[in-house]
Amino acid sequence: MIRLGLRLAVSGGREAWLRLLVTAAAVAVGVGLLFTTLAAVNAVHVQNGRYAWINTGFVADAGPADREAAGTDADGDAPLWWMVRRDSFQGEQIGRVDVAPTGPTATLPPGVDRLPADGEYYLSPALAKLADTVPPEQLADRFGGHRIGILGKDALPGPDSLVALVGDSPQELSALHGAVRVTRIVTTPPDRCHDCPIGLQSNGVTLILTVVTGALVFPLLILIGTATRLSATQRERRFAAMRLVGATPRQVAAASAVESVLAAAAGVLLGFLPYLAVRGRVAGMGLTGYRFYPSDLALTLPQIAAVALGVPLAAVVAARIALRRVQVSPLGVSRRVTPKPPRAWRVAPLLAGLAELVFLLIRHPESVPGQVRGYLSAFGLIMIGIVLAGPWLTGRAAALLARRTQRPATLIAARRLADNPTAGFRAVSGLVLALLVMTATIGIITTMTDERGRVEGGPQFDNVLINHLSEGRTPEGLDRSAGPPAPSGFTAGLLAVPGVRATMLVHPLDRVVPVRAGDETEASEVVACPDLDAVGVFGHCEPGAATAYLPSVLAGFRDYSDTAWPAAPYTAEQVAALPVVNVVVATDGSRAAVERARTTVDAAYPANRQSHTLAEGRKESDAELEGFQQLARVVILATFPIAGCSLAVSVAAALGERKRPFSLLRLSGVPLAMLRRVVLMESAVPLLAVSALAIGTGLLAADLFLRSQLQYTLHSLGTGYYLAVAGGLVGALGVIGATLPLLRRVTGPETARNE
């Protein structure tokens, strides 16, 4: 039967070969996207693993269990002094690691062949290129000494990562707040390291897996199943004839399986072509904030084996379902009867998924794995429910349309849909799922962006540079991370930088002072009034005051320009002798002025978080939202092509299966234009009817998710969403219209002959 199945797959001339190629091409598109999805998930893990070494300083002083998990046991090489800093240049973050070995056998970070000595440093390729294109006082002077090499790929999350490894002396580095002694370099990826703040934690990786799995894999299965059903009617007749001449159901099943496996296997092999074609583009998308190396998007052998076995198996199952009437009786093909109409129970899974979201709103899981399981199962039930409820809703809409219309084309389409609503909905099921996924995704992302992205203040925040030297006050009083008083000539040197308008030094108090100014009721810092008035962004002093109390408002983005802060009982000289917790520099906004001032401040006051503009701080706070928005774009851009391919294959297959009835209609005098309207209506009715349900369900699911997980209420989706929906529906109708020219070719007089 295997040899017979192979002959049947390619017999029939050009039509058989065309059917085989179309099926293989459709499967190849789905497999290519599936390969790309799996490779992107692998790339996230690979990239995340290269963050591990940067977290070394954060787990070095953890408990024994954490040290053992991170590979920081006390035995082995000589300890290193280690300090991680965050710097910025023109809005881009720079990761800086300062090291100082205490002996000749210190362990090595990845990407270098020796540790930098005092006055030496390594730069990543992107950072080295950047440092070579601007004057040294804007960037290179921050690292001191001279560059001795380029960091290797193993030390960099991505090709555009800005990373520096700087050598210091043990005496200088150990005196800085935030420096720690380490004995081993962390090798545990951040998603498996409890105390590693840099990189993607398990929540982030799980989020990517959940979104990709729920939003892409299910539509891909629909595409593959649709492709393997091409020419199902013709194959039913062929296998029914085999049953009539004595073939057993098992032999028919074997022959159909061979034909389906052949097309699916060819599609799996061809699926590597779209995967290789888009891999470079996916690597450059910056899904996690940084671009991937193309080699990161690699597939594992178990993944390739799972797809290579799973797709043909799915094709066999789809073919078996398509030929289920032949398995019962060979006469079931010729005796065409109206199938039983879909029942209302098909709505049950959809209601169950929504009910689960309501349950999660009432009793929300505390653990992240519990939340993932709950939401993934709820959204999975909703997607399955839409697919199951689609035929029932299509049948209801077709029956209503048949009672209300008198146009011949509309009446024929409505009667055919009412006769078999499952086949009518199957063509548009992929697009309906895409609309559901897009609506829920955009609803969630839009609301999160509106809620978390609210920023007060004007454009002057782009021009203000600030350096945080203190983490706050400790129970014992002043935080020892505050810097020393300003050295002589420091302020004058800053004001001499071209483009610097004003400077302000913020000093800590040893107690919290009650104040009444705007919305603030407490103050823990003090400033000189001439400096505060010159900067302007953070308010001004009362008339005649020399110094003023100031709350810890400098990390926020609110505009305090009109706020008058109460006078403090100190002279300017007394305040100048205090330690410094913030250095504020107001510039004219030019890049050169900002970077020169940043270099000057960081050289005088090194800190874990180097100087940054308020605009850069705002950008960092929005980085998570940008990641979510990128995920939304990926999901939308992936689901619509899948849906378009499913729609094109389904409509083309339906035309091929109905070519004889349409040929008879043409012979009886029905114009070709009317037949085209029939085909268009048969696709448009289920598309519009079920799309309305999918959009409403997506909005409701997004609102329930936001209320239960984030305590937000769904916001208006905006014009972009409605344009995307309109574009998707217009594109779907365009795909249907593109298949209409086939009607003239497949409905000729020769097709109407009796077989």
Side-chain angles (χ1 to χ4, degrees):
M1 294 306 296
I2 295 179
R3 296 176 60 183
L4 178 60
L6 291 174
R7 291 190 62 182
L8 291 175
V10 298
S11 63
R14 188 173 64 177
E15 182 180 351
W17 280 103
L18 181 61
R19 181 178 66 246
L20 184 64
L21 291 177
V22 170
T23 303
V27 173
V29 172
V31 170
L33 287 172
L34 184 58
F35 279 158
T36 304
T37 300
L38 295 174
V41 173
N42 294 341
V44 171
H45 287 285
V46 172
Q47 185 184 76
N48 205 32
R50 290 196 293 266
Y51 280 106
W53 73 280
I54 305 178
N55 286 294
T56 297
F58 296 100
V59 298
D61 55 353
D66 290 331
R67 278 203 298 268
E68 183 178 355
T72 55
D73 56 310
D75 299 326
D77 298 323
L80 277 171
W81 280 103
W82 186 282
M83 182 176 180
V84 178
R85 308 187 196 182
R86 284 192 303 169
D87 201 351
S88 302
F89 181 83
Q90 296 183 2
E92 300 296 328
Q93 286 196 52
I94 298 175
R96 170 172 172 168
V97 179
D98 288 69
V99 294
T102 60
T105 60
T107 186
L108 289 176
V112 297
D113 53 5
R114 71 175 181 88
L115 284 172
D118 185 18
E120 299 177 340
Y121 60 86
Y122 292 93
L123 300 181
S124 65
L127 184 55
K129 181 179 179 180
L130 196 60
D132 292 339
T133 58
V134 297
E137 64 271 15
Q138 294 187 28
L139 183 58
D141 288 351
R142 302 180 196 178
F143 310 116
H146 61 282
R147 188 170 73 214
I148 61 172
I150 300 296
L151 288 173
K153 172 184 173 182
D154 294 341
L156 307 175
D160 52 355
S161 299
L162 305 180
V163 182
L165 181 65
V166 182
D168 291 294
S169 67
Q171 295 76 18
E172 293 179 353
L173 191 56
S174 61
L176 297 180
H177 176 77
V180 295
R181 284 167 58 98
V182 300
T183 57
R184 301 287 294 274
I185 304 298
V186 171
T187 57
T188 305
D191 58 307
R192 298 203 302 269
C193 176
H194 179 68
D195 294 325
C196 295
I198 301 176
L200 284 174
Q201 298 301 311
S202 58
N203 295 10
V205 175
T206 303
L207 172 65
I208 293 174
L209 289 171
T210 302
V211 172
V212 169
T213 302
L216 295 182
V217 173
F218 200 61
L220 282 174
L221 293 177
I222 290 181
L223 172 60
I224 293 172
T226 301
T228 55
R229 290 180 59 89
L230 277 173
S231 300
T233 301
Q234 183 176 350
R235 284 184 290 167
E236 281 182 346
R237 292 173 180 156
R238 178 195 304 159
F239 291 128
M242 292 174 57
R243 290 288 312 277
L244 288 173
V245 297
T248 65
R250 180 172 296 181
Q251 290 173 327
V252 170
S256 65
V258 170
E259 185 175 356
S260 300
V261 167
L262 180 62
V268 171
L269 294 177
L270 293 174
F272 284 97
L273 298 179
Y275 157 65
L276 295 174
V278 303
R279 185 171 65 165
R281 291 180 177 269
V282 175
M285 291 180 66
L287 180 63
T288 60
Y290 289 103
R291 293 187 297 124
F292 297 120
Y293 289 102
S295 59
D296 293 344
L297 279 90
L299 297 167
T300 64
L301 288 178
Q303 289 172 338
I304 296 175
V307 174
L309 295 176
V311 171
L313 180 61
V316 171
V317 172
R320 187 69 178 267
I321 294 174
L323 298 175
R324 60 188 180 277
R325 289 183 301 167
V326 180
Q327 302 298 323
V328 176
S329 169
L331 297 179
V333 176
S334 59
R335 293 178 179 177
R336 297 285 179 178
V337 294
T338 300
K340 293 182 179 180
R343 302 291 184 178
W345 66 263
R346 288 172 170 267
V347 187
L350 176 61
L351 298 178
L354 294 174
E356 185 172 0
L357 288 179
V358 174
F359 177 78
L360 293 173
L361 175 62
I362 299 173
R363 298 190 61 178
H364 189 261
E366 296 183 359
S367 66
V368 173
Q371 295 169 13
V372 170
R373 286 192 300 269
Y375 289 118
L376 186 58
S377 63
F379 281 99
L381 280 174
I382 289 173
M383 287 190 289
I384 294 173
I386 286 289
V387 174
L388 290 178
W392 177 78
L393 187 60
T394 299
R396 298 301 92 198
L400 179 62
L401 185 63
R403 290 195 298 267
R404 297 297 180 92
T405 186
Q406 295 181 352
R407 295 178 178 274
T410 306
L411 184 60
I412 294 174
R415 290 299 185 187
R416 289 182 60 85
L417 284 175
D419 181 70
N420 192 357
T422 301
F425 172 74
R426 186 183 300 124
V428 300
S429 58
L431 187 63
V432 169
L433 274 180
L435 287 174
L436 171 68
V437 171
M438 184 189 72
T439 300
T441 302
I442 293 182
I444 294 171
I445 299 302
T446 298
T447 301
M448 292 175 60
T449 303
D450 291 345
E451 290 284 347
R452 299 182 181 180
R454 294 176 180 171
V455 177
E456 301 180 21
Q460 67 270 24
F461 280 78
D462 297 341
N463 310 331
V464 177
L465 193 71
I466 187 169
N467 189 353
H468 296 283
L469 302 177
S470 175
E471 300 296 332
R473 299 175 70 254
T474 66
E476 293 77 18
L478 179 65
D479 191 339
R480 298 306 174 187
S481 62
S488 176
F490 173 68
T491 301
L494 273 175
L495 292 174
V497 174
V500 172
R501 298 190 298 102
T503 64
M504 180 176 71
L505 302 180
V506 183
H507 309 275
L509 297 172
D510 57 0
R511 67 188 186 282
V512 175
V513 179
V515 297
R516 296 186 62 182
D519 297 332
E520 304 296 336
T521 58
E522 293 182 343
S524 59
E525 298 167 349
V526 63
V527 296
C529 283
D531 296 343
L532 180 62
D533 294 338
V535 171
V537 174
F538 297 111
H540 55 87
C541 295
E542 295 177 343
T547 61
Y549 289 123
L550 195 68
S552 299
V553 298
L554 302 183
F557 307 125
R558 297 173 61 184
D559 190 352
Y560 290 91
S561 302
D562 297 331
T563 304
W565 301 110
Y570 305 101
T571 65
E573 290 76 15
Q574 290 174 323
V575 168
L578 294 175
V580 176
V581 290
N582 296 106
V583 179
V584 181
V585 182
T587 72
D588 60 5
S590 66
R591 291 183 175 181
V594 169
E595 300 307 333
R596 288 192 181 101
R598 196 195 316 258
T599 301
T600 302
V601 172
D602 292 347
Y605 288 101
N608 294 90
R609 179 58 173 103
Q610 301 286 69
S611 302
H612 63 283
T613 65
L614 295 180
E616 291 168 349
R618 184 170 59 199
K619 179 181 177 181
E620 292 175 13
S621 68
D622 293 341
E624 182 182 14
L625 292 179
E626 178 60 28
F628 290 141
Q629 291 171 339
Q630 182 72 4
L631 279 174
R633 288 190 289 268
V634 169
V635 170
I636 293 169
L637 292 176
T639 52
F640 270 102
I642 296 172
C645 291
S646 297
L647 182 60
V649 171
S650 297
V651 175
L655 289 178
E657 293 175 356
R658 291 177 294 174
K659 59 184 179 180
R660 188 168 183 272
F662 281 165
S663 298
L664 293 174
L665 286 174
R666 284 193 67 187
L667 287 177
S668 64
V670 175
L672 185 61
M674 182 179 293
L675 292 181
R676 288 173 176 169
R677 288 195 295 271
V678 169
V679 174
L680 187 61
M681 288 295 297
E682 286 184 7
S683 300
V685 170
L687 175 63
L688 298 178
V690 188
S691 292
L693 175 65
I695 291 173
T697 302
L699 292 174
L700 179 58
D703 184 64
L704 291 173
F705 171 81
L706 290 166
R707 289 175 182 271
S708 61
Q709 182 70 8
L710 303 172
Q711 290 75 53
Y712 297 155
T713 302
L714 182 67
H715 288 205
S716 174
L717 271 61
T719 307
Y721 165 76
Y722 298 104
L723 291 176
V725 171
L729 294 177
V730 171
L733 295 177
V735 170
I736 298 171
T739 62
L740 295 182
L742 292 174
L743 267 176
R744 182 182 296 276
R745 297 183 56 186
V746 302
T747 58
E750 69 279 359
T751 310
R753 69 183 187 274
N754 290 321
E755 297 178 352

